[in-house]
Amino acid sequence: MNIVILGSPGVGKGTYAKILSDKYHIPRISVGDLFRKAIRDETELGKKIKDYVSRGDLVPDEMVIELVKERLKKDDCKNGFFLDGFPRTIAQAEAMEKFKKIDKVLNFVASDWVIMSRLGGRRTCRECGAIYHVKEIPPKVEGICDRCGGRLYQRSDETPQAIKNRLRVYREKTKPVTDYFRKKGLLADIDANYTFEKVGKVISRCEKHFQNLS
Ligand SMILES: [Zn+2]
């Protein structure tokens, strides 16, 4: 089951992908995490990526494609994956179709108001990348990750100005991709205008689209 996850920053797709990944025992691969790992490990590619990410700009196609292609070769992807954050351009979509079959594209959609309120409260674990929300998914101890005890922080790309920039960039660049997959009959729009209490509703909407997939 090779599933691509699309949706603007703050739509909650990371949370949904994580739940689906646990349920189906198929890895969730977040391109954001691949970026952060490459940056943290200070690989050659990581250094280049860092410049783009810190400005809130999209990373050039050839760099992203290389990262994703290598990751999908790993053994844990043999039964499928939930790929979050890729492809985001037509060039990436076409490149991916050459090295992996895509079974379904889930496109999570939410209003700007919902997105701004979600992202403003988001906190990320420095150690394991787990994501919390001060109101909706608070950690047991403020500022500390439940899973690993790491410190939580607000990412520099989650300030109001950075969010606005990211939404603008996302819309400009990604609309052609959703149109592309829609034409191929692979796209499923998922209404994600819910609080985290109604996560189950969004998940069951996703699962309707998994019928007939191996
Ligand atoms: Zn953690």
Side-chain angles (χ1 to χ4, degrees), residues 125 127-130 132 145 147-150:
C125 175
E127 301 304 319
C128 72
Y132 298 84
C145 178
R147 211 198 288 171
C148 77

Side-chain angles (χ1 to χ4, degrees), residues 62-202:
E62 62 274 17
M63 294 183 193
V64 193
I65 291 163
E66 192 185 325
L67 264 186
V68 172
K69 192 175 176 183
E70 288 308 305
R71 179 61 187 85
L72 295 186
K73 278 182 190 165
K74 292 193 179 169
D75 210 38
D76 62 342
C77 296
K78 65 181 190 299
N79 293 326
F81 48 80
F82 293 100
L83 180 59
D84 173 3
F86 182 95
R88 281 190 173 174
T89 65
I90 298 284
Q92 290 177 8
E94 287 173 348
M96 183 171 176
E97 285 175 320
K98 284 180 194 144
F99 65 79
K100 274 291 174 193
K101 180 176 176 282
I102 300 169
D103 292 316
K104 201 56 140 180
V105 178
L106 301 180
N107 183 38
F108 290 91
V109 183
S111 73
D112 279 12
W113 186 88
V114 168
I115 288 167
M116 292 301 276
S117 60
R118 275 184 194 161
L119 280 185
R122 226 156 97 149
R123 300 293 180 269
T124 305
C125 175
R126 264 187 208 287
E127 301 304 319
C128 72
I131 295 165
Y132 298 84
H133 190 282
V134 290
K135 283 189 190 139
E136 287 167 334
I137 349 170
K140 291 195 184 79
V141 180
E142 195 184 325
I144 304 292
C145 178
D146 293 347
R147 211 198 288 171
C148 77
R151 285 173 59 91
L152 307 183
Y153 72 112
Q154 183 170 38
R155 280 166 30 180
S156 61
D157 61 350
E158 288 174 354
T159 62
Q161 199 47 51
I163 294 167
K164 275 183 200 157
N165 188 43
R166 287 166 68 199
L167 286 175
R168 187 183 53 75
V169 171
Y170 180 85
R171 295 215 169 101
E172 279 170 14
K173 300 276 180 181
T174 316
K175 181 151 189 315
V177 177
T178 50
D179 291 347
Y180 176 87
F181 286 124
R182 203 184 302 278
K183 273 186 206 139
K184 297 198 163 213
L186 290 174
L187 195 84
D189 285 317
I190 307 291
D191 177 1
N193 279 302
Y194 293 106
T195 65
F196 283 93
E197 287 146 33
K198 293 203 179 148
V199 157
K201 212 168 190 173
V202 179

